[in-house]
Amino acid sequence: MTEIQFITQTKTLIDGLKSVCANYGLGNDASEFNIISQVFLYKYLNDKFIYEAKKIEPELSQAEDFQSAYENLPDDKKQFLLARIGNKAAKLKPDQLIAYLFNNSNQPNFGEAIFDGTLRTISAENIDIYSVSSATGVKDKMFDDISLFIRDASQRDAFCRALLNKLVNVSFEKMFTEKYDFFATIFEYLIKDYNSDSGGKYAEYYTPHAVARIMAAILVNGEANNAKVYDPSAGSGTLLMNIAHAIGEKNCTIYSEDISQKSANMLRLNLILNNLQHSIPNIIKGNTILQPAHLDRKFDYIVSNPPFKLDFSDYQADLTKDSFKERFFAGVPKIPNKDKDKMAIYLLFIQHIMYSLDTKGKAAIVVPTGFITAQSGIERKIREALIQRNWLRGVVSMPSNIFASTGTNVSIVFIDKEADSEKIVLVDASKLGKNIKEGKNQKTVLTPLEEQRIIDAMNQKNAEDDFSVLVTKEEVIAKNYSFSAGQYFEVKIEYVEITAEEFAQKMQTYESNLSQLFAEGNELDKKILENLKGLKYD
């Protein structure tokens, strides 16, 4: 079976689970995402356990019926098996597998007692590996009580059986064997109806893959080992996944924080599907700005697409206290008299990122393009600090509508504590890309060649007319710390050498053309006057 067939098969499974939800009145319900993502996660954990168990225990790998063979293993072999699996997969007992639930799906009170009970036990017994923590250290549960999403108690058993029936005829085992790296595609398909880049109250942002790929390729320009990677506003983890793939999943540890529980759950699933489950204990649900969970750490790489505008007036006064001044060195945005939702919280994230970088740390931050040219205020102070500290590696101004549901123009600021202050790269990619319709919105899509052009300009320090320019620290200071490439492009006037005879000929032609135009104008004036004289009052 090919990779495309695997993807098609898995998407069919996801569509089947959505169909079950629709048939039981939960289509487009607020609970649908939780059901789909959690049942899919259970299927993944089940098949990953079977795959790892077969590699360890010959009796299981040779058995025609894995479920029966596992149930009949002596207790000491079962315990040894679970110990050997370690953190490679969830530790599942025979009565926690999908096959066992399917064989017992006709038992009374199946939904609440068996289906939900099994998921609760799996969550409790694997809490150290798979649970996301809150800022206070409280571990969350992996699974909700799925059956209870159905209000009609008489329908709960049938609902859980219907979900289970979709799982038994699909196997991920072959996918693990072939080592296909396609779960990023599956994850995107899984969440496509439940996530947006427009953000909500707490801004569950979804960063376009083109932006994420460009950021990762520019940041990771060489080998990296034992790297600590951080996103203080992680969302579903698109940026983290891309940089982890660029570094190598085994060569990095992920850290993140996001105030949204929905985003934390998405990120957990994304880490599991991308073989990064060892980082799940570092995923924190909390308020990065007010109570950062990772403040005692410094990071090798930081990526972020922070919310640009958000009302943080409830705790703005706390941020102005002395204990926050080192982190927010450039200041804290004031509370406006109206439109509190427009408070520029991204300026706090930029300062937090600068504070969190290790001695040789690198960062890439998505910002509104207005940030790179603001003449005063916190924006100007941050830019000045980046230049004076010699931390600015470069800036890429992206095309408009690179995010489908917002018209805000964005740029990517690249920070490097070992940056070359004599060769800062500024790129104007605003004219690249092709406009397409996505739903009701216009979106700009970059081709692979255009993505590579941006990456090469940054990594190879290429200067290209009207696209990229290399500037020095002193030149940036002279331009009031502007990070806009367009302000540094050379204005070129083309001169063409001509002879005196050619000049005389051109002038004669101009005079002749003008004389003809003047004559035509005079004729028109006469006709207009004649027409005016012919007008009569009736």
Side-chain angles (χ1 to χ4, degrees):
M1 187 178 288
T2 66
E3 183 175 354
I4 293 176
Q5 288 174 311
F6 280 137
I7 292 175
T8 301
Q9 181 189 55
T10 309
K11 288 182 176 180
T12 301
L13 167 62
I14 295 168
D15 290 340
L17 295 174
K18 291 181 178 180
S19 176
V20 172
C21 289
N23 290 339
Y24 283 83
L26 296 176
N28 298 319
D29 187 84
S31 61
E32 186 186 22
F33 169 73
N34 290 331
I35 296 168
I36 301 298
S37 60
Q38 291 177 28
V39 171
F40 183 86
L41 174 58
Y42 174 44
K43 172 62 177 173
Y44 181 94
L45 296 179
N46 177 91
D47 290 11
K48 187 66 159 61
F49 171 81
I50 294 173
Y51 169 72
E52 297 294 344
K54 286 182 176 179
K55 291 198 298 182
I56 295 170
E57 179 52 61
E59 290 183 42
L60 299 179
S61 64
Q62 297 165 10
E64 293 185 9
D65 184 346
F66 180 91
Q67 182 64 36
S68 296
Y70 186 27
E71 289 177 2
N72 293 325
L73 271 184
D75 288 342
D76 59 337
K77 281 195 172 184
K78 289 177 184 173
Q79 293 175 3
F80 180 72
L81 172 65
L82 295 179
R84 286 282 306 277
I85 282 182
N87 293 340
K88 295 178 182 177
K91 296 179 175 65
L92 303 183
K93 296 171 183 174
D95 61 354
Q96 296 171 338
L97 297 179
I98 288 173
Y100 179 88
L101 268 61
F102 182 76
N103 293 337
N104 291 274
S105 59
N106 289 321
Q107 294 292 325
N109 198 25
F110 169 73
E112 292 184 65
I114 299 178
F115 192 85
D116 289 344
T118 297
L119 297 184
R120 281 196 302 269
T121 305
I122 292 172
S123 179
E125 293 179 349
N126 293 274
I127 192 168
D128 291 337
I129 302 175
Y130 292 105
S131 285
V132 172
S133 297
S134 68
T136 59
V138 176
K139 297 276 190 178
D140 78 338
K141 57 183 180 179
M142 293 168 63
F143 302 105
D144 294 309
D145 289 336
I146 301 296
S147 71
L148 298 186
F149 287 117
I150 301 293
R151 293 184 180 181
D152 184 350
S154 67
Q155 293 291 309
R156 289 171 182 167
D157 289 355
F159 175 64
C160 292
R161 278 195 293 269
L163 292 173
L164 198 60
N165 288 338
K166 297 295 182 182
L167 305 182
V168 294
N169 296 319
V170 178
S171 175
F172 292 157
E173 284 185 68
K174 185 69 173 176
M175 305 181 193
F176 301 130
T177 303
E178 298 294 337
K179 302 186 186 304
Y180 286 134
D181 181 20
F182 69 92
F183 275 108
T185 302
I186 293 301
F187 178 78
E188 184 176 354
Y189 187 77
L190 183 65
I191 69 170
K192 68 183 177 67
D193 295 328
Y194 312 111
N195 200 17
S196 70
D197 55 7
S198 60
K201 171 64 176 173
Y202 292 113
E204 289 112 351
Y205 284 87
Y206 185 84
T207 307
H209 282 290
V211 176
R213 284 191 297 266
I214 289 169
M215 291 168 71
I218 292 172
L219 276 185
V220 187
N221 187 22
E223 292 187 6
N225 292 302
N226 300 317
K228 296 190 294 296
V229 182
Y230 176 49
D231 187 339
S233 55
S236 59
T238 304
L239 292 177
L240 288 170
M241 295 310 105
N242 276 269
I243 193 169
H245 291 323
I247 296 171
E249 291 82 355
K250 294 182 179 179
N251 296 327
C252 68
T253 303
I254 300 296
Y255 297 82
S256 80
E257 190 162 7
D258 199 295
I259 201 166
S260 166
Q261 180 65 54
K262 175 184 171 184
S263 294
N265 289 336
M266 284 184 178
L267 178 54
R268 168 172 52 198
L269 179 57
N270 213 356
L271 289 170
I272 292 171
L273 297 183
N274 284 277
N275 202 30
L276 285 158
Q277 61 266 20
H278 62 274
S279 292
I280 292 176
N282 305 323
I283 307 308
I284 305 298
K285 184 192 107 43
N287 187 327
T288 303
I289 299 303
L290 183 61
Q291 297 172 319
H294 302 299
L295 197 61
D296 59 339
R297 295 182 182 275
K298 298 296 182 181
F299 299 96
D300 302 299
Y301 296 96
I302 301 179
V303 287
S304 182
N305 175 20
F308 293 167
K309 307 289 185 180
L310 197 66
D311 178 5
F312 60 94
S313 59
D314 288 348
Y315 56 89
Q316 189 269 355
D318 293 328
L319 303 179
T320 62
K321 295 177 181 177
D322 289 343
S323 57
F324 288 91
K325 285 187 176 179
E326 182 181 1
R327 187 157 55 115
F328 302 129
F329 66 91
V332 176
K334 296 179 180 179
I335 302 174
N337 293 326
K338 55 183 179 178
D339 293 332
K340 293 181 181 178
D341 287 339
K342 294 183 179 180
M343 294 177 71
I345 196 170
Y346 81 95
L347 296 173
L348 299 178
F349 276 97
I350 297 175
Q351 295 176 78
H352 172 76
I353 288 167
M354 293 171 67
Y355 179 87
S356 302
L357 280 173
D358 207 343
T359 53
K360 297 181 179 181
K362 300 175 175 62
I365 313 166
V366 180
V367 300
T369 293
F371 165 80
I372 67 176
T373 56
Q375 295 295 301
S376 60
I378 297 173
E379 297 92 334
R380 168 89 165 43
K381 291 179 182 178
I382 293 173
R383 297 202 315 270
E384 181 177 349
L386 289 173
I387 293 298
Q388 294 298 342
R389 298 178 191 182
N390 299 322
W391 288 9
L392 183 67
R393 178 180 172 189
V395 177
V396 177
S397 295
M398 300 297 289
S400 60
N401 298 319
I402 197 74
F403 290 80
S405 60
T406 175
T408 302
N409 290 336
V410 303
S411 296
I412 308 171
V413 175
F414 290 91
I415 300 173
D416 186 342
K417 282 197 172 183
E418 296 183 310
D420 181 356
S421 62
E422 295 303 307
K423 292 182 179 179
I424 300 168
V425 186
L426 303 179
V427 177
D428 181 3
S430 61
K431 298 181 182 65
L432 301 185
K434 178 181 179 181
N435 287 327
I436 64 170
K437 193 79 178 288
E438 187 172 278
K440 297 180 181 179
N441 303 306
Q442 292 290 331
K443 182 179 181 180
T444 302
V445 177
L446 297 172
T447 67
L449 288 176
E450 288 173 327
E451 288 182 31
Q452 194 60 48
R453 183 183 178 191
I454 295 170
I455 293 165
D456 288 344
M458 287 294 300
N459 288 346
Q460 298 175 15
K461 298 185 182 297
N462 294 336
E464 186 178 337
D465 286 351
D466 296 326
F467 179 70
S468 59
V469 62
L470 303 182
V471 298
T472 66
K473 173 180 178 178
E474 287 70 25
E475 288 175 315
V476 176
I477 294 172
K479 291 282 189 179
N480 196 28
Y481 297 93
S482 172
F483 292 175
S484 174
Q487 294 195 20
Y488 298 88
F489 289 152
E490 182 180 353
V491 178
K492 295 183 178 181
I493 300 175
E494 293 187 4
Y495 294 92
V496 179
E497 294 291 338
I498 60 174
T499 64
E501 290 77 12
E502 290 172 331
F503 177 77
Q505 181 63 44
K506 284 182 179 290
M507 293 303 296
Q508 185 177 352
T509 301
Y510 295 150
E511 290 175 6
S512 176
N513 290 340
L514 284 172
S515 296
Q516 183 178 348
L517 290 171
F518 291 154
E520 292 175 356
N522 290 332
E523 288 298 319
L524 287 172
D525 290 342
K526 291 178 182 179
K527 288 181 179 180
I528 291 171
L529 288 172
E530 290 175 1
N531 289 333
L532 285 173
K533 291 178 180 178
L535 292 175
K536 295 180 179 180
Y537 177 77
D538 189 356

